Amino acid sequence: MRMPKSWLLAVRAAVSVARDNGAERVHLLPVRFGCLLAANANVRVDGCLFTAPVRCGREYLREEKMRKQLRAAMTGNPRPSIANGRTACR
């Protein structure tokens, strides 16, 4: 999956800010889609614990679409989601 360069730069910037502010060690704890970002950001950290990673962005978007549909069926009021019912990596 191709990710926007700005997303990857945001991960690098966060690590840089931590180091610039005196952090001797930097660990990442990405969750779900964040695991893909952390894995592709190409940044040096002291540790990384992937939490419930998705295997690909398409899988994540499909899960989000299903959650949105289920929420709408149960409540009649779907909340906006990142997926917006579309898949970006067909």
Side-chain angles (χ1 to χ4, degrees), residues 41-90:
N42 195 26
V43 63
R44 188 186 65 77
V45 294
D46 299 293
C48 189
L49 177 62
F50 294 110
T51 308
V54 295
R55 289 187 298 248
C56 77
R58 183 181 304 169
E59 175 184 314
Y60 176 75
L61 291 174
R62 186 171 38 249
E63 289 174 8
E64 284 297 303
K65 182 179 179 181
M66 287 188 303
R67 278 189 197 94
K68 182 178 180 182
Q69 290 170 344
L70 181 60
R71 188 179 302 116
M74 293 176 69
T75 66
N77 184 21
R79 292 187 324 196
S81 75
I82 192 169
N84 245 0
R86 296 178 299 206
T87 15
C89 52
R90 285 191 176 190

Side-chain angles (χ1 to χ4, degrees), residues 4-21:
K5 188 175 181 178
S6 61
W7 294 1
L8 302 175
L9 291 174
V11 175
R12 294 180 198 147
V15 171
S16 181
V17 166
R19 294 200 190 281
D20 291 348
N21 284 291

